[in-house]
Structure formats: structure tokens, C-alpha cells
Amino acid sequence: MDLDVFVRAHSAEWARLEALLGRRRKLSGAEADELVALYQRAATHLSFVRSSAPDPQLVGRLTQLVARARSAVTGARRAGWRDAGRFLSAGFPAALYRSRHWWLPTALLSTALAAVIGWWIATHPEVQASIAAPDQLRELTRPGGQYETYYSSHAAASFAAQVWTNNAQVAAVCLVFGAFLGIPVLWVLFQNTLNLGIGLGLMSSVGRLDTFLGLILPHGLLELTAVFVAAGTGLRLGWTVIDPGPRPRRTALAEEGRSALGMAIGLAIVLFVSGVIEGFVTPSGLPTWARISIGIAAELAFLGYVYGPGRRAARRGETGDVEGPDRGARQPVVA
């Protein structure tokens, strides 16, 4: 294609579109129709230039022009409380429900692996010796030791904020790096599982498994579930790179990526709740049964959220993706 000829042939249309976009007064009906037609043609021109003669300067000019025209045609849209309410009541739970076939197996396999690691450490003194020196192990596992004082070593509010930040970072890593075929997600998941298994094994080896579970279950049920959801979502995103299904790979990655971004926002809220429990309930003077009951109630509320509103929203067609006007066109519209 002769790029100069193409530009000369269509520059008048682009100039007219720019003129219409620059009007400060309200467009007449005929001018509005003209703007839509010129926008459609410009989008087609942009697609043609990108595929046939990708001149960076021309592509940049047309991209900016098409974006301005699209905003004028579709109207500027601002997110508000209604969007947040829709996300929490439909988008987020639907995304959780749709991805359950990834995060539920992740949760079961990780928990089983942690239990196996804990059993192996508890029954093999030589493995315990490879983890730390005997005096360090005693300091970790004794009554009033580091495993117990960890949850009350800081003020509850600051500790809850620190825990929330750390867990949100773990979840974000799982979601962001899922596109790298899920390999970084597996490493983060293994590290999390290994730490849990070590705690189970060491406390079990001194006959204090009940104490450990009393400390970890109140907040850990919801916290670990959120991490498993993030890991499962990251693995799903990584699998999309390998097998996008019937969708074009770019479209599939865009849809799953936007859903993962929404998942990150929703999980931040879930992890905030678990952080509050860890900061205020876990180290509290409540009986163990009461603290564990609070953790179980939070976990059941989350699962009810997934299988109640989430299942209903998914059956209505919700996917967790942004609304149609915010997605962008999958392909240019031809006039």
C-alpha cells in the first residue's frame, strides 16, 4: 500500500472528524450522524494501517483520533457507587463462582500437602534439626513462645494493617504473574504451603497441635481461602495463554485479565476482613472455641457469598468482566 496516497485520500475525512470533535456547541442531528460515520471509517482506517503499513506516526494520530471520537459517540462514563455495588453484588461473586474449578482443587491439594509436610516433620527428628537449632525450636514451640506471641507482639490495629498488606501482596503476585504460564504462582503457593506445614509439624512434635490450630484457624480459614482463590485465578490466567479455547488468544487474555484485576480488588476486601480477625480476634482472650467459631462463621459467609449471589449472577451471564462500554471494541466497526 502506498501510504502517502492513502493519507491524501482520507485526510479530509480525518480533518472533518477533528473539526466536529472540536466543536464547543452541541452538534445538530445531522452533524452527530456524520460524526458517527466518520468515527467508524477512522476505526476501519486505523485497523487497515496497522495491518498493512504500520507507520508509528500515523498509527498514533489515528489511535488518538479514534479514541476521542469513541468517547464522544459513547459518552464519558464515570464509575460511582452504583458500579461498586454492582461489582460486589454480582461481578465479584460471579467471578469467584466461575473460577471455583481452579481454586477449590488448589485449596484441597495445598491443604493435603501441608498436612503431609507437617506429618513428615513431626515424625522425623532429623528433619526438625535441619530446620533450626534445638534451642531455636524450643523458643518457637514452647508455651508463650514465638508462635503464640507473634499475634500479640504489636498493637492490634497496626498488626492487622501489616497482615493485610502482606497478604494482599501475596494475592497480587499470584494474580499478576499468572500470565507467565502460572509458574511463579506455583512457587508462591508452595512457599505458603511449606510454611503452614512447618508450623503444623513443629507444634505437633511437642504435643501442641491444638494450640497451633487455635491460633491459625480463626483468621487462617478465610485468609488461606483468599490466597487459594488468587492462586487459582492466576493459574487459570496462565492456562489461558496456553489454551484460550474458542476465543482469539488476545481476546481471551483481555477478558480473563480484566476479571483477574477485579478479583484483586475483591480479594483485598476479603483479606481486610481476615486481617481484622487476625489482629483483634486471634490474640484476644476469648476461649479457643469462640475464636475458631468466628473463623468458621467468616469462612461460611464467604462460601455462601460464592454459592448464593455468585451462582445466581453467573447463571445470568455475569463473568466478572467490566461492563460492555468499558471493554473497548473487539474489532473496528465498518461503516
Side-chain angles (χ1 to χ4, degrees), residues 35 48 67 83 95 189-190 227 255 298 312 319:
L35 187 147
F48 185 71
D83 298 292
L189 193 60
F190 175 73
V227 172
E255 292 176 353
R312 290 193 295 270
T319 63

Side-chain angles (χ1 to χ4, degrees), residues 208-231:
R208 306 195 66 225
L209 180 60
D210 56 339
T211 300
F212 182 76
L213 293 178
L215 291 170
I216 201 73
L217 288 180
H219 64 275
L221 288 172
L222 187 60
E223 176 185 294
L224 289 173
T225 299
V227 172
F228 294 145
V229 169

Side-chain angles (χ1 to χ4, degrees), residues 48 96 138 176 213 328:
F48 185 71
L96 289 169
R138 283 193 296 272
V176 171
L213 293 178

Side-chain angles (χ1 to χ4, degrees), residues 19-335:
L20 290 173
L21 292 172
R23 291 281 179 87
R24 294 187 178 181
R25 63 174 175 80
K26 186 176 181 181
L27 298 179
S28 65
E31 288 174 331
D33 291 340
E34 184 184 7
L35 187 147
V36 172
L38 290 173
Y39 156 61
Q40 293 173 331
R41 292 195 193 106
T44 304
H45 297 160
L46 175 59
S47 176
F48 185 71
V49 170
R50 278 177 172 168
S51 60
S52 301
D55 178 73
Q57 185 175 358
L58 182 58
V59 167
R61 176 189 174 188
L62 289 177
T63 299
Q64 184 180 22
L65 182 61
V66 168
R68 289 176 58 202
R70 179 178 180 273
S71 178
V73 170
T74 60
R77 186 175 179 277
R78 297 181 179 178
W81 290 110
R82 182 177 180 182
D83 298 292
R86 179 183 174 278
F87 170 74
L88 292 176
S89 64
F92 179 48
L96 289 169
Y97 182 79
R98 288 179 63 245
S99 61
R100 70 193 185 282
H101 296 304
W102 285 91
W103 58 265
L104 282 175
T106 298
L108 293 175
L109 290 174
S110 298
T111 303
L113 180 58
V116 171
I117 292 174
W119 168 82
W120 182 51
I121 292 174
T123 56
H124 292 76
E126 67 276 12
V127 177
Q128 301 169 29
S130 68
I131 295 174
D135 57 335
Q136 292 176 317
L137 293 177
R138 283 193 296 272
E139 179 59 28
L140 282 171
T141 57
R142 67 175 176 82
Q146 292 180 12
Y147 270 126
E148 292 184 46
T149 59
Y150 168 76
Y151 297 101
S152 56
S153 57
H154 298 86
S158 62
F159 182 68
Q162 179 183 353
V163 166
W164 177 46
T165 302
N166 291 339
N167 290 332
Q169 288 176 345
V170 171
V173 167
C174 291
L175 293 168
V176 171
F177 289 99
F180 293 93
L181 303 182
I183 295 174
V185 178
L186 293 175
W187 175 249
V188 171
L189 193 60
F190 175 73
Q191 290 294 315
N192 191 72
T193 301
L194 180 62
N195 289 334
L196 177 61
I198 290 174
L200 288 170
L202 292 180
M203 292 293 278
S204 180
S205 68
V206 295
R208 306 195 66 225
L209 180 60
D210 56 339
T211 300
F212 182 76
L213 293 178
L215 291 170
I216 201 73
L217 288 180
H219 64 275
L221 288 172
L222 187 60
E223 176 185 294
L224 289 173
T225 299
V227 172
F228 294 145
V229 169
T233 303
L235 292 174
R236 179 180 181 176
L237 184 60
W239 184 252
T240 301
V241 178
I242 301 172
D243 181 15
R247 300 169 293 179
R249 182 169 278 102
R250 177 182 293 184
T251 300
L253 284 174
E255 292 176 353
E256 298 301 334
R258 288 191 299 262
S259 180
L261 178 60
M263 193 79 81
I265 298 172
L267 289 179
I269 300 174
V270 176
L271 288 170
F272 175 77
V273 175
S274 71
V276 170
I277 296 174
E278 187 169 358
F280 291 91
V281 176
T282 299
S284 71
L286 292 173
T288 300
W289 66 266
R291 290 186 280 112
I292 293 179
S293 296
I294 292 173
I296 292 175
E299 178 72 2
L300 291 177
F302 176 80
L303 294 177
Y305 178 65
V306 174
Y307 284 90
R311 177 165 53 186
R312 290 193 295 270
R315 288 177 175 176
R316 293 196 305 268
E318 290 282 351
T319 63
D321 198 354
V322 297
E323 293 190 64
D326 295 325
R327 296 174 192 170
R330 294 186 177 182
Q331 59 188 14
V333 181
V334 181

